[in-house]
Amino acid sequence: MLKVENLSVVLADGTPIVRDIEITIAAGQTIGLVGESGSGKSTIARALLGQTGAGVRIASGRVSVDGRELLSLSPADLRNACGRIIAYVPQDSGAALNPALTVGRQIIERLLIGPDRLDRAEAFRRVAEVLTTLGLPSDKQFLARRPGELSGGQLQRIGLAIAVVARPKVLILDEPTTALDTSTRGEVITMVRQLTQSMGAASLYVSHDLGLISAVADAVTVLYAGEIVETASAQRLFAQPAHPYTRALLEAVPQVRQKLPIKGIPGQVPDLDARLQGCSFADRCSAVQPKCRESKPALAQQATGRVRCFFPSAAPIRRPGDLGPETVGDHGIVYRVDDLAAGYPTAPRLLDGISLALRRGKCTALVGESGSGKSTLSRCLIGLQPITEGRMGFADAAQGAGLRDSRRMQYIFQDPSGSLNPRRKVGDSISLAARHFFPGEDPRPRVEAALARVDLSPAILGRFPSQLSGGQKQRVAIARALVAKPEVLLCDEITSALDVSVQASVLQTLKRLMDDGLSLLFVTHDLGVVRTIADEIIVLKQGRIVEQGPADQVFATPEHPYTRMLLDNVLELPAGVPA
Amino acid sequence: MTSAAPQTGLAVRGKSVSWLGKRLAASLLTLVLITMLVFAATRLLPGDMALMILGKDATAESLAALRAQLHLEDPLWRQYTAWIAGVATGDLGYSVISRVEVAALLTPRLQATLSLIVLSLAVSVPLALVLGFATARREGSVGDKLVLFGSVAINALPEFVLGMLLVILLSTNIWHLFPAVSSLSPGQPVLHQLDKLVLPGLCLVLLQVTYLYRLVRAAVIDVMTSEYFHFARLKGLPEGLILRRHVLPNAIVPAVIAIGTIFAYSVGGMVVVETVFSYPGIGSALTQAVGTRDLPVVQAAVLIIAVIFLISNLVTDALAHSITPPGKGGQK
């Protein structure tokens, strides 16, 4: 059993990052720790093993496993507890495994050190046993491989094997499936559940993915701005969230089950030094009262959990019915791809037989797992990847218009931190695009018009990307695309790096742009987002289209087994009460 | 990203062999080009070589005789092929100045240079590793900043200034510890005259350590910010084991490449250091030969330096290639 009391982690100057964390996990139980970026969930995960990043320290708190306190141990004793008593499963094993060492060495090394080390033969037996449980080979050749020679799913299982091989009493899982495809994710989740149950370990599952947490956790702790705002059983929390933040977060998660209006959370998480006065969520709360700004609510015990709010809700979460398809307006074909292929005919083709049409003011979603060819296709459309067969172009374009049409199709990248020049003010980034496409004109009115369309104030123009939040950066990237007056926007996973609450507001912006007549090709693996925004769906597998059609139809009656598999692997929030 | 098709050990080994083969072929081609360049460059030196050697008072007959002896009147391609044929059979010709075999002239010079380089590297590589690890773990501390400042300052000094400073400090009346002039006694093995190697060796060690340690330091800092370093700590591994097993193999790659470069560079590039300490190395032999237009010596010396350069690059690349983990640019 894990008991965390009064845990606070602070910066060197004493500014708290997380405050008064209390978590209790019984043996065999799984608690989900949920929060958006900046909530401090990874800080907590590492602090439970007594570790912090540079310039950060644990100011107070007790972490006890079966009654034994860990944080007051000597460094050597704490080190012996790490891995043996309390173990950590990394977020991205591809990065967390040492590229220079064999995986066998990395799994076994913890067993061969410390006061209760095993002899080599026993340690090897243990490694083989764990690998077999995880469905991995345990022969010498496999153990002699290095991380660069394994697939993502295998690596994640190795990460898991390293954590469980010493049979710890507590398992800290820090987003262990975020980097995986949905099909691999399902396998890893099942294994985690089997392992924790068979070992009787108490596990803390850290994630930003509410659907995932609803599938794995017995109870959930919600984190906001470094504080616990609500703790309850999973059943109660997802059906009847008491804290306004929990409610807003659950409402912001797109559903696959039905097409819902987009609902984000306005505003953003307060800065570290602005969190001490009053309720941290007050500025974004729809039910805020004067009292909320005057004093900070305590984490109060209730009948079915604990909540940090003066005015907790007791109502179940309500969801409106399905919106259904929209058919108003002119939806002529804007852009057409006919029988496109890429790659050499001799080898398995990167893309083959791709035909699609983008309609005015409509969103076409391109879905598929990693390696399905969705990125390759979008790269073909903007000319980054040569095509070997087929035609593509705007419906009204003259033959061979080629790259002269580049203004009409604009590309938005997944990660705005990478696609915006960090040394250039965002205003200059946008006006550079304006001057490129409309030389000799004053770029300013165009820049300001584009900014207004993505709900950013002109005050932002003088800032650098590092001074903006993730959502603001992605809006700047969209504005830079809009300044070219495009007819088609190619969106490559543009919301996957964003928090749910921010993702919703970016989707709202995109929706409004579509109403203005812009066509979207939306590349994503998140079927909830697809359900929310897409009118047409194209399912790609190994470079070929396996299913294509109106969104409602594909979601209601998927025909191809691959589409059904994708839909089955979605981890959905429990349905709310119909409004 | 999930990785592409996992590679099997056997396929990887096959790739390594073909990689080595390609590198060998490329090196051989480079070598042929170098011989042509060396030959062309020496023949394009201004002035009449016979006149240079015999002086202004030489008679027309003696000049013509010397030209004939040196085959200077032959067509260039024949001179080149004759030279190559000699080189291929180990015959580097005779020095036109001292009239001894080029091989006999250059062998002790090369030995002297190589001894100095190998000895200095044997000191500076371990020193750079220790210093690099120690300062990386205390990044930003006063000690780290002092060492960093000192190393940049030493690197910024021209070699001869550093050499003169060492001579003034350690072999004049401040502390007279070592001989100021390092001319070796002929006929004795270099290793029996170690006291003469100390000053030029120290000069080299200073130059090498200050550069190498910074590479090690940067690589270690890089590894210490990596996810796998943090994960190793979360696993509960002791600090020493983490540094030895998890950091060292990843941090050493840039240092290994740099050691190769330093070695190759030093063989021909130590002229200044050799001159300051009057050390009879191959670099100073080359400069002297250029001054006296001793073409066979120039050609042989440049060729030797080039071959050592190629071999050491090849060895370094193969070594770096074999210690670079797969998936990190290891197998191409």
Side-chain angles (χ1 to χ4, degrees), chain A residues 222-294:
Chain A
V222 182
L223 215 56
Y224 182 76
E227 290 172 325
I228 293 177
V229 294
E230 184 165 4
T231 296
S233 74
Q235 207 183 1
R236 203 283 268 149
L237 188 113
F238 288 110
Q240 212 173 306
H243 196 281
Y245 173 66
T246 317
R247 295 187 78 83
L249 197 59
L250 289 177
E251 284 172 353
V253 178
Q255 300 240 328
V256 171
R257 186 177 298 125
Q258 52 184 355
K259 183 171 181 144
L260 295 174
I262 307 160
K263 212 173 159 197
I265 308 178
Q268 49 183 301
V269 183
D271 290 335
L272 285 181
D273 46 9
R275 293 173 179 180
L276 296 168
Q277 185 87 45
C279 174
S280 305
F281 190 60
D283 286 341
R284 302 173 78 184
C285 184
S286 58
V288 66
Q289 303 285 328
K291 188 183 175 189
C292 305
R293 298 187 196 278
E294 285 155 17

Side-chain angles (χ1 to χ4, degrees), chain A residues 66-85:
Chain A
D66 294 345
R68 183 168 175 232
E69 212 284 314
L70 300 181
L71 295 184
S72 57
L73 293 176
S74 72
D77 287 341
L78 177 61
R79 205 165 53 225
N80 286 325
C82 284
R84 292 310 292 265
I85 295 174

Side-chain angles (χ1 to χ4, degrees), chain A residues 94-100 106, chain B residues 222-233 235 242 246-247 250-251 328:
Chain A
L97 293 178
N98 193 326
Q106 297 189 61
Chain B
D222 193 38
V223 173
M224 281 177 37
T225 58
S226 71
E227 278 297 310
Y228 61 82
F229 178 76
H230 292 300
F231 186 46
R233 298 179 70 168
K235 268 163 134 177
I242 296 179
H246 285 260
V247 179
N250 288 293
K328 295 271 163 184

Side-chain angles (χ1 to χ4, degrees), chain B residues 19-185:
Chain B
W19 175 87
L20 199 65
K22 274 184 204 158
R23 287 301 310 258
L24 275 172
S27 302
L28 215 61
L29 186 68
T30 316
L31 195 59
V32 171
L33 287 175
I34 286 170
T35 60
M36 291 180 180
L37 273 176
V38 168
F39 189 80
T42 48
R43 294 301 140 121
L44 290 176
L45 284 176
D48 179 358
M49 196 166 44
L51 192 67
M52 291 278 217
I53 295 167
L54 294 179
K56 279 185 188 146
D57 304 331
T59 59
E61 293 81 54
S62 59
L63 281 175
L66 184 60
R67 284 200 196 102
Q69 186 200 337
L70 294 178
H71 301 288
L72 292 180
E73 306 292 346
D74 289 1
L76 273 182
W77 67 268
R78 189 170 291 163
Q79 293 184 40
Y80 174 74
T81 45
W83 177 57
I84 285 292
V87 169
T89 54
D91 174 16
L92 294 172
Y94 285 84
S95 160
V96 290
I97 303 295
S98 56
R99 309 267 163 187
V100 294
E101 268 191 82
V102 172
L105 190 79
L106 288 182
T107 306
R109 295 294 196 111
L110 184 62
Q111 276 172 357
T113 295
L114 288 180
S115 320
L116 188 56
I117 296 170
V118 169
L119 283 175
S120 64
L121 280 175
V123 175
S124 51
V125 170
L127 200 60
L129 280 176
V130 170
L131 207 55
F133 268 81
T135 51
R137 290 186 59 198
R138 294 168 188 77
E139 190 199 351
S141 69
V142 178
D144 173 41
K145 283 179 183 154
L146 277 178
V147 177
L148 192 61
F149 177 80
S151 84
V152 174
I154 289 177
N155 266 185
L157 289 179
E159 287 163 359
F160 70 90
V161 175
L162 182 66
M164 292 316 287
L165 276 178
L166 288 176
V167 169
I168 292 168
L169 274 177
L170 298 177
S171 56
T172 59
N173 35 15
I174 302 184
W175 295 292
H176 192 92
L177 300 175
F178 306 107
V181 174
S182 305
S183 36
L184 300 172
S185 323

